[in-house]
Amino acid sequence: MKQQKWGKVKVIGLVLVTFVFAKFQGGFASWFLFYSSLVFFAYECLAYFLMFSTLEVVRQLDRNRLQEGEDVVVTIRLRRRIWFPLGWNMILEPLPERLTGLYEPHKQLIFPWFKREIEFRYVIPHLPRGHYRLQECVISGGDFFGFIERREVKALSDELLVYPTYQHLNHWPLGDGSFSGTIHVSHRRSDDVAAVRGVREYHRGDRLSQIHWRASARGSGLKTKEFEHQAMNQAVFFLDVEKRSYQDQAPDLFELAVKVTASLIAFANRNQYHYGLVYKQADRISIAPAVSHAHFLRVFDQLARVMPEGSEPFARILGREALEQTQGVTLMVVTPRLDKELVGRLIALAQKGRRVQLFYVNRAQSYTMEQKRVLQLLTANKVVCTAIQSEDYQHWKRMGGA
């Protein structure tokens, strides 16, 4: 701002000096200098006022959903509505807060001259998992002679979702390659003839599409179709996002927990198992079990956004949310910490007939005697325990019984 202020003073001073010189000196040469300085002054005024008033800035991303470790290409396009020669522009692209320690903000110096549209690209490489928002774009500009300089912040907004990477599992670490939990579904599509096993009397509330019209015409009163019960695998993943669980732990332990959850969900989606996701950070996230491509993206959107910033104890969340799940649903618990409250909650759920699988993530090379004792206690109470110590998911170990 100081340089800009003194630049204006210099321009005005130049006009005043040439005017005084022309007044006292007279003659063609002195007045020619004065009128030349007026032309220069007019150019500086136009450059100052037209520098950003006619400027349009557009930012485009080559994609807004990508996987961890991939690059994103950012395109910046500058358009001017009118033609006017300018000196230079400096474009600064601030990075989201989570990326400021990894990369330097991108700076680009351009010389527009007589161009009305300028485009350039830059790359943000190897993005870590997360939700990012690219917002403001800072533009500085000046004239040919360096007398004026202006700075303006353009409000832009672009979002990026970086999904976690995951391993392609061929089987569950339990060895059978499937979920252990099942749930019975009593309603099938009314046009599925093979699923109809008989008829019964019509009850109030039955859907019109379930009425068996042929049987109703032969008998007295309306008859309703009865369908075969279909058994299908369902699981709900409980991800521990409590901040206290990851304190004094390896920095990337939470990323390991997210990747484990993503790998299991990808396996479930590939095998057409119904799956859901539950966690509580600032807000409660509860996605009911389903299976579809849209459901898969919805779950992975949450896995991209989640961070270990929860304040409520994970054991309390598990106990409360488990009551919302149907009896036959398998509860998949992913956590790095086995405190007394959580262990008691897992045992209580198993004793009530709930199917519980625990995925215990840890970066330590070996387990302490206390950790082994807790895992064996859980296994003795019918909680299936799986230990994960690295991102090589092919080396998951069954704990508690081996």
Side-chain angles (χ1 to χ4, degrees):
M1 294 298 293
K2 184 176 180 181
Q3 180 182 355
Q4 175 187 345
K5 177 181 177 181
W6 285 111
K8 295 177 184 177
V9 172
K10 290 177 182 179
V11 172
I12 297 173
L14 177 63
V15 175
L16 292 176
V17 168
T18 54
F19 176 75
V20 172
F21 178 73
K23 268 293 188 181
F24 285 95
Q25 181 68 23
F28 173 79
S30 57
W31 283 106
F32 177 80
L33 288 175
F34 170 67
Y35 290 121
S36 299
S37 67
L38 286 182
V39 174
F40 175 75
F41 179 75
Y43 166 77
E44 292 293 332
C45 291
L46 289 174
Y48 181 83
F49 290 107
L50 297 179
M51 188 173 297
F52 296 127
S53 61
T54 62
L55 180 64
E56 178 186 355
V57 182
V58 178
R59 180 198 289 131
Q60 291 181 342
L61 308 179
D62 64 334
R63 49 186 169 165
N64 56 9
R65 281 176 168 80
L66 55 157
Q67 204 163 27
E68 181 180 358
E70 294 181 342
D71 305 338
V72 62
V73 179
V74 184
T75 302
I76 302 294
R77 189 174 293 110
L78 306 178
R79 297 194 187 100
R80 299 185 184 277
R81 292 194 295 270
I82 64 173
W83 173 88
F84 188 81
L86 292 173
W88 58 273
N89 285 116
M90 173 70 76
I91 292 88
L92 172 65
E93 280 275 278
L95 291 172
E97 184 179 353
R98 286 189 60 201
L99 297 178
T100 51
L102 300 177
Y103 308 109
E104 291 291 332
H106 181 78
K107 292 183 180 181
Q108 184 81 23
L109 177 64
I110 59 175
F111 297 93
W113 296 93
F114 301 100
K115 298 179 182 177
R116 296 182 62 180
E117 182 170 332
I118 298 177
E119 177 181 300
F120 67 89
R121 295 178 176 86
Y122 69 94
V123 178
I124 305 178
H126 308 296
L127 283 170
R129 180 198 63 86
H131 172 236
Y132 304 100
R133 188 187 299 272
L134 300 176
Q135 292 183 318
E136 58 189 27
C137 178
V138 182
I139 303 179
S140 302
D143 64 318
F144 284 109
F145 307 100
F147 283 100
I148 63 172
E149 179 179 344
R150 290 188 65 187
R151 179 178 179 272
E152 186 168 296
V153 178
K154 295 289 186 179
L156 305 176
S157 182
D158 295 277
E159 291 190 358
L160 274 172
L161 274 178
V162 183
Y163 293 151
T165 56
Y166 57 87
Q167 293 277 358
H168 291 276
L169 304 178
N170 297 320
H171 61 278
W172 283 106
L174 305 179
D176 57 358
S178 65
F179 289 108
S180 59
T182 58
I183 183 171
H184 293 279
V185 179
S186 58
H187 295 290
R188 295 290 299 270
R189 292 180 55 187
S190 58
D191 56 352
D192 190 353
V193 179
V196 179
R197 67 174 185 179
V199 295
R200 59 171 174 80
E201 294 294 331
Y202 173 82
H203 297 296
R204 184 177 180 180
D206 289 343
R207 292 180 297 176
L208 189 65
S209 61
Q210 292 179 334
I211 296 177
H212 199 299
W213 296 107
R214 186 176 297 179
S216 300
R218 290 198 300 263
S220 58
L222 294 176
K223 304 293 182 182
T224 303
K225 301 173 187 176
E226 278 195 317
F227 299 98
E228 294 286 349
H229 291 273
Q230 179 193 14
M232 63 180 178
N233 290 311
Q234 286 198 354
V236 175
F237 292 86
F238 291 85
L239 178 60
D240 186 358
V241 300
E242 184 183 355
K243 187 175 182 179
R244 189 175 57 171
S245 299
Y246 299 92
Q247 289 179 344
D248 303 325
Q249 298 284 353
D252 57 347
L253 183 61
F254 181 72
E255 296 302 319
L256 175 60
V258 173
K259 290 176 182 178
V260 168
T261 307
S263 299
L264 295 171
I265 288 175
F267 178 86
N269 185 75
R270 191 167 61 252
N271 290 275
Q272 296 296 300
Y273 299 143
H274 286 58
Y275 55 89
L277 176 67
V278 174
Y279 68 84
K280 184 178 181 183
Q281 195 172 315
D283 300 320
R284 172 181 178 266
I285 300 297
S286 179
I287 302 177
V291 56
S292 66
H293 182 66
H295 181 73
F296 179 77
L297 293 180
R298 183 186 176 195
V299 172
F300 262 66
D301 282 355
Q302 296 302 326
L303 290 180
R305 298 172 185 269
V306 65
M307 295 298 293
E309 298 174 352
S311 57
E312 187 175 355
F314 178 62
R316 189 182 306 168
I317 296 172
L318 176 62
R320 181 176 64 248
E321 296 292 338
L323 298 176
E324 304 291 331
Q325 308 302 325
T326 314
Q327 184 68 25
V329 172
T330 302
L331 309 179
M332 317 289 290
V333 181
V334 183
T335 180
R337 186 166 65 102
L338 294 176
D339 57 13
K340 184 177 180 180
E341 184 180 2
L342 179 59
V343 171
R345 189 75 66 179
L346 293 173
I347 293 175
L349 289 171
Q351 289 177 348
K352 292 178 181 178
R354 307 305 296 264
R355 295 182 175 89
V356 183
Q357 294 189 21
L358 170 68
F359 292 86
Y360 181 56
V361 293
N362 199 314
R363 285 296 193 188
Q365 296 298 322
S366 60
Y367 292 98
T368 64
M369 293 300 298
E370 179 65 21
Q371 290 172 327
K372 292 181 179 179
R373 187 190 66 80
V374 171
L375 291 170
Q376 289 174 355
L377 175 63
L378 290 171
T379 303
N381 285 275
K382 299 182 179 180
V383 176
V384 180
C385 301
T386 304
I388 304 167
Q389 294 176 286
S390 69
E391 295 179 12
D392 186 1
Y393 303 147
Q394 305 303 324
H395 292 84
W396 283 353
K397 296 187 297 182
R398 175 82 172 270
M399 294 297 293

